[in-house]
Amino acid sequence: MNKINILLAGNPNVGKSTIFNHLTGLNQHVGNWPGKTVEQKTGSFKHKECECEITDLPGNYSITAYSIEEVVSRDAILNENSDVIINVLDAENIQRNLYLTMQILETGANVVLALNMMKYAEEKGLKINVKELEKRLGIPVKVIDARSGEGIDELIDTAINSTKNPRNVAKNLSYGLEIDEHMTDLKKEFTNVKWQEAIPSWIVIKLLEGDKEITKIVEESPDAKNLNKLKEIQEHLEDVLDDTLEDAFIDARYAMIDGLIKKAVKKPPLTQKEKTDRIDDIVTNKWLGIPIFLFVVWLLFQLTFTIGTPLQDLIDTGFGMLVEYLTPLLPEGWISSLVLNGVIGGVGGVITFLPIIFILFLLLSIIEDCGYLARAAFVVDRFMHEVMGLSGKAFIPMILGFGCDVPGIMATRTLANESDRLTTMLALPFISCSARIPIYALFTAVFFQENQGTVTFGLYLLGMLVAIIVSIVLKRTTFKGETAPFIMELPPYRLPTVKTSLLHMWERGAVFLKKAGTIILATSLLVWLLSNLPLGVEEASESSLIGIIGNFIAPIFAPLGFGDWQSSVALLFGLMAKELVLATFGSLFGVDADTGLQTVLPTLYTPLSALSFMIFTLLYVPCFATLSAIKQESNSWKWMFVSAGLCIGISWIVSFVVYQGGMLLGFG
């Protein structure tokens, strides 16, 4: 059976991931590119007599190597291991998308073009002559519909066939007579320069553009002596063209694209505003944009709890029945306690919230895939720039923090300057991550049953407010400086596909499941062990080791309304992962019907102290993994400890104000 390696390349929002998911299903792996913090998605599938390995490259508008994502994509394209590159284009925005195509073709790679979203292009009045496009580019072009899967089999057939006779069309590209002539001369001067599988013409383009990495390679090669001639040619061309060479190459690529569009694409006359523009007039409105965004977030939590709570109750009932079934079968003593309180009590107490976690991720995926998330970033850009002193680009890591703070911290790499990166890193832990959702779900179900979604929305809003205040203070004191401009594409609105949304939900939710089977299980067993030592003490009593530890730190939390040792221990273990707060409660109290958490919590908390506890878990240190990510991304222990100190200090102060203020107002 033949084996081929395929790369999927394209701009953001062109349907690459949909094609990837269609081809690989669940047979995919998500990791990091070697030595990078950029996510790498790889998968495999069989097509007829061929075994295919496929990699979904980061979505880029170019491979000029300004950002880490562009470096990763460029290196992958130039690597000898890929047999064919499928370049996915949004047919509706073909002119802009073709710029990346030109840069890929410059590398001499074997390319097949996939025209996606043709239906939307036709609705817009664009008529694309696929045969003419194929003829003028010199590469195969296939029309597909990523959402329905139509044309994807033919696309893979074409990709496989192209590997039998790879096409290098770089020689057909022209940058104007003056540049072309000097490129021909320079290719003869740098014959000893080798970098991955780069062809000579690409090496010369990079040298003329002043690429530092390629120039350094030349300096260490036998051709270093010819760098003076390169400099002379650069100065000559810039003088003749009255422009920098980097800009001259950009202009030349767009000139080639313009010529291609004139021959292969028929554009409609200008018409009235499109549907997307009419919707954007409302959702990105200066005055309506932020209220609409807040309403969407509120609706997100309302739907999450409305749909998820009955499913949660079903799982909870199932665990209760399991406990009732196992209780008479297990011998009394340590074994029974270990299984019922340690394993089922700890892990089961967290697993019951699985429906809420998965539904939240599904709804977030739908919001992202339909195109609204980009509008939300656009809406908050003005506010973040003028009030917080941050680029709107910082909103993307913060939104990622809704799922997990770790990828959010890693995403700060996309921010242009160090002050924005560090400010976002220190503010982001206050944005509530999904690991805290089970805590909110339990406490709101017990104390605020009629307003679960609204209270949870309020907590998220409080987290965002604290993050804003922290950002303002940091940008006006520690991290003064200019904010980088924020430029992003607003993709057309699309109906998300069921398959893609479910796969995104599974990818994110599976992390929660993995935690349940590893960290949460291990910590639940540790909590159970500490609850039963020293030998002979009553299980989970104040005399046990865990009770002694809890009583030692409990006075710290007494002014916040939860000075019991159980809450103190739960928060202590919650430093490792927020899910462990509930796992600890589950191990200490068990999950059977009579003494389950929903029965025990009212004996420890009032509604006011429960609110104070939720606020503390919202704002205190997210988890060890987040602190580790801050250390790694800032390359400093200092900022990791500053983050931990900020979180602990602010969480204590805010909870103190809420609880003591509530008591003064008579809400105790």
Side-chain angles (χ1 to χ4, degrees):
M1 183 176 283
N2 294 330
K3 290 186 178 181
I4 67 164
N5 290 312
I6 301 171
L7 295 182
L8 272 178
N11 288 187
N13 306 307
V14 296
K16 286 191 304 91
S17 296
T18 306
I19 296 169
F20 179 81
N21 291 332
H22 177 88
L23 291 169
T24 62
L26 293 176
N27 193 24
Q28 54 181 261
H29 171 72
V30 180
N32 281 352
W33 289 87
K36 313 287 184 187
T37 55
V38 178
E39 187 180 86
Q40 181 190 44
K41 291 181 75 173
T42 57
S44 60
F45 64 96
K46 289 182 180 179
H47 184 82
K48 298 179 181 176
E49 297 301 316
C50 191
E51 199 170 285
C52 304
E53 294 289 329
I54 187 166
T55 302
D56 186 10
L57 297 179
N60 292 308
Y61 295 105
S62 75
I63 49 171
T64 312
Y66 287 135
S67 71
I68 189 72
E69 289 84 1
E70 289 175 347
V71 171
V72 161
S73 297
R74 182 197 68 179
D75 291 354
I77 288 166
L78 290 166
N79 194 296
E80 61 181 341
N81 292 330
S82 60
D83 298 302
V84 59
I85 297 168
I86 295 178
N87 180 201
V88 185
L89 270 64
D90 173 3
E92 189 179 355
N93 296 292
I94 186 170
Q95 190 158 4
R96 187 195 64 235
N97 282 207
L98 279 169
Y99 187 81
L100 178 64
T101 305
M102 290 299 169
Q103 287 192 309
I104 295 173
L105 292 178
E106 285 174 355
T107 67
N110 182 36
V111 181
V112 172
L113 215 60
L115 271 181
N116 189 27
M117 306 182 197
M118 187 69 94
K119 179 179 74 172
Y120 297 106
E122 290 169 351
E123 287 175 359
K124 196 176 178 180
L126 288 174
K127 294 182 180 179
I128 301 174
N129 187 330
V130 176
K131 291 295 181 185
E132 187 68 23
L133 193 64
E134 194 170 58
K135 174 186 169 184
R136 294 193 172 273
L137 283 172
I139 58 174
V141 179
K142 291 293 171 186
V143 175
I144 64 163
D145 186 329
R147 292 181 72 248
S148 67
E150 185 181 346
I152 292 181
D153 282 347
E154 291 83 351
L155 173 67
I156 300 303
D157 282 336
T158 304
I160 293 169
N161 289 333
S162 75
T163 63
K164 298 170 185 175
N165 185 25
R167 301 187 193 185
N168 174 3
V169 299
K171 60 183 180 296
N172 300 335
L173 304 178
S174 173
Y175 305 93
L177 187 61
E178 192 76 32
I179 293 178
D180 288 349
E181 285 181 357
H182 287 292
M183 280 181 63
T184 302
D185 294 338
L186 286 173
K187 278 191 279 187
K188 298 171 185 175
E189 303 295 334
F190 296 99
T191 55
N192 294 306
V193 180
K194 304 294 179 187
W195 189 74
Q196 296 199 45
E197 293 298 301
I199 58 176
S201 60
W202 186 86
I203 294 282
V204 168
I205 290 171
K206 293 296 116 183
L207 286 173
L208 286 171
E209 288 180 331
D211 187 285
K212 292 179 181 178
E213 188 173 0
I214 303 302
T215 303
K216 186 178 179 181
I217 292 169
V218 173
E219 289 170 350
E220 297 169 356
S221 77
D223 293 334
K225 61 183 183 294
N226 298 324
L227 284 172
N228 286 334
K229 184 171 183 179
L230 170 68
K231 189 175 181 182
E232 289 174 9
I233 291 174
Q234 284 175 317
E235 290 173 352
H236 166 71
L237 286 172
E238 289 185 348
D239 185 47
V240 170
L241 299 170
D242 193 26
D243 205 349
T244 65
L245 275 173
E246 188 172 12
D247 287 344
F249 274 106
I250 291 172
D251 290 343
R253 291 181 191 114
Y254 276 118
M256 286 187 273
I257 292 168
D258 286 342
L260 190 62
I261 293 295
K262 285 175 183 175
K263 295 292 183 182
V265 180
K266 187 177 180 182
K267 295 182 178 180
L270 292 174
T271 57
Q272 61 177 357
K273 282 187 176 181
E274 296 176 21
K275 190 184 296 182
T276 291
D277 297 323
R278 291 199 296 271
I279 298 173
D280 280 346
D281 284 345
I282 299 171
V283 300
T284 63
N285 181 274
K286 181 180 179 180
W287 305 110
L288 296 176
I290 287 181
I292 289 172
F293 168 65
L294 294 176
F295 173 75
V296 168
V297 176
W298 174 81
L299 186 62
L300 184 79
F301 293 117
Q302 283 295 113
L303 289 172
T304 297
F305 287 109
T306 302
I307 301 168
T309 300
L311 298 173
Q312 176 194 344
D313 292 341
L314 196 63
I315 296 175
D316 197 28
T317 302
F319 274 112
M321 293 170 63
L322 180 62
V323 169
E324 289 178 6
Y325 174 75
L326 291 175
T327 300
L329 299 178
L330 295 171
E332 288 189 16
W334 275 43
I335 294 177
S336 176
S337 173
L338 172 64
V339 174
L340 300 181
N341 296 337
V343 178
I344 299 178
V347 178
V350 177
I351 290 292
T352 55
F353 297 96
L354 202 59
I356 287 175
I357 295 291
F358 271 81
I359 289 166
L360 176 65
F361 282 139
L362 177 63
L363 294 175
L364 280 172
S365 174
I366 291 170
I367 289 172
E368 180 181 354
D369 293 345
C370 77
Y372 177 72
L373 199 60
R375 271 79 186 174
F378 177 82
V379 163
V380 300
D381 177 48
R382 181 194 298 269
F383 176 80
M384 293 185 78
H385 183 78
E386 294 179 1
V387 179
M388 297 171 66
L390 285 172
S391 163
K393 203 170 187 180
F395 177 75
I396 304 300
M398 289 183 175
I399 280 292
L400 287 173
F402 271 36
C404 176
D405 286 332
V406 174
I409 296 292
M410 288 180 171
T412 59
R413 280 198 165 199
T414 63
L415 301 180
N417 59 56
E418 191 71 8
S419 66
D420 280 4
R421 288 185 66 233
L422 288 171
T423 302
T424 306
M425 249 183 251
L426 295 175
L428 198 146
F430 298 107
I431 303 292
S432 186
C433 66
S434 62
R436 295 170 167 104
I437 281 284
I439 301 171
Y440 307 154
L442 175 63
F443 276 76
T444 54
V446 175
F447 298 101
F448 308 99
Q449 193 169 12
E450 298 301 317
N451 299 289
Q452 274 192 280
T454 303
V455 172
T456 304
F457 168 69
L459 289 167
Y460 270 79
L461 209 58
L462 176 63
M464 287 189 275
L465 179 63
V466 172
I468 289 167
I469 294 170
V470 168
S471 298
I472 292 170
V473 172
L474 289 173
K475 285 296 285 186
R476 294 182 182 177
T477 54
T478 311
F479 301 122
K480 291 181 179 179
E482 287 294 314
T483 299
F486 177 45
I487 301 170
M488 75 173 298
E489 174 195 12
L490 295 182
Y493 291 101
R494 310 275 190 225
L495 280 174
T497 63
V498 174
K499 184 176 181 179
T500 300
S501 297
L502 289 175
L503 276 170
H504 285 165
M505 176 193 74
W506 173 253
E507 285 171 2
R508 295 162 180 169
V511 176
F512 183 82
L513 273 177
K514 186 178 179 182
K515 274 188 181 180
T518 52
I519 298 172
I520 296 172
L521 176 59
T523 307
S524 297
L525 295 176
L526 176 61
V527 169
W528 175 84
L529 184 63
L530 293 174
S531 300
N532 285 276
L533 291 176
L535 295 174
V537 300
E538 182 184 350
E539 184 178 353
S541 66
E542 291 188 52
S543 304
S544 65
L545 282 178
I546 202 164
I548 294 168
I549 294 168
N551 277 319
F552 179 74
I553 59 175
I556 298 171
F557 303 109
L560 313 184
F562 43 92
D564 57 280
W565 67 268
Q566 294 95 333
S567 297
S568 305
V569 168
L571 290 171
L572 181 64
F573 281 106
L575 288 171
M576 289 190 281
K578 286 295 159 286
E579 296 93 341
L580 296 177
V581 172
L582 286 196
T584 303
F585 278 140
S587 293
L588 291 175
F589 300 121
V591 293
D592 68 81
D594 296 320
T595 58
L597 293 182
Q598 296 201 16
T599 308
V600 173
L601 289 182
T603 66
L604 298 176
Y605 302 90
T606 63
L608 179 60
S609 63
L611 181 62
S612 175
F613 183 83
M614 286 191 289
I615 289 171
F616 191 86
T617 58
L618 162 71
L619 300 175
Y620 91 119
V621 183
C623 63
F624 285 166
T626 299
L627 292 178
S628 175
I630 291 173
K631 190 269 170 189
Q632 180 181 340
E633 294 302 316
S634 66
N635 198 28
S636 168
W637 288 98
K638 171 188 170 182
W639 296 117
M640 185 192 82
F641 287 117
V642 167
S643 176
L646 273 175
C647 289
I648 292 170
I650 290 172
S651 60
W652 197 94
I653 291 169
V654 176
S655 294
F656 177 84
V657 169
V658 168
Y659 181 71
Q660 296 299 336
M663 292 293 287
L664 287 173
L665 294 171
F667 293 114

